[in-house]
Amino acid sequence: MDTDTGRAVVSVMCKAGFEESELLEGARLSKDLDIDSTELVEIVVALEEHFDIAIDADAESAFRTMGDLVDHVTRLRSRGEPVGAAATEG
């Protein structure tokens, strides 16, 4: 990923056990990365904690690719979502 947010999303997903080389923008979450609904919830929670944002369940169901996930996190961050301790500590 070529943005700070994209690299951070990849970093969070690597901590969840994925290989950086497989986390390409066009990688399909279910088909290419074999992410099921339970794993997606875990990833979303990890992203929410990392970025101190809230991703609603309706948006979550629309994530098909890594690019979708990164775009959504980027939009939430650009809206001026409240920044808490998770985003200011490191």
Side-chain angles (χ1 to χ4, degrees), residues 11-65:
S11 175
V12 168
M13 291 189 66
C14 286
K15 290 176 186 173
F18 293 91
E19 296 293 325
E20 184 174 352
S21 61
E22 64 186 344
L23 300 174
L24 304 173
E25 185 173 351
R28 296 169 295 181
L29 300 178
S30 64
K31 294 187 185 220
D32 299 329
L33 301 175
D34 201 26
I35 296 173
D36 64 23
S37 59
T38 303
E39 289 174 310
L40 183 58
V41 169
E42 292 172 1
I43 290 166
V44 165
V45 168
L47 291 171
E48 289 175 329
E49 290 174 357
H50 179 84
F51 291 106
D52 196 23
I53 58 174
I55 300 172
D56 73 35
D58 291 336
E60 198 177 303
S61 65
F63 300 147
R64 301 284 180 250
T65 66

Side-chain angles (χ1 to χ4, degrees), residues 5 31 48 70-71:
T5 300
K31 294 187 185 220
E48 289 175 329
V70 171
D71 289 346

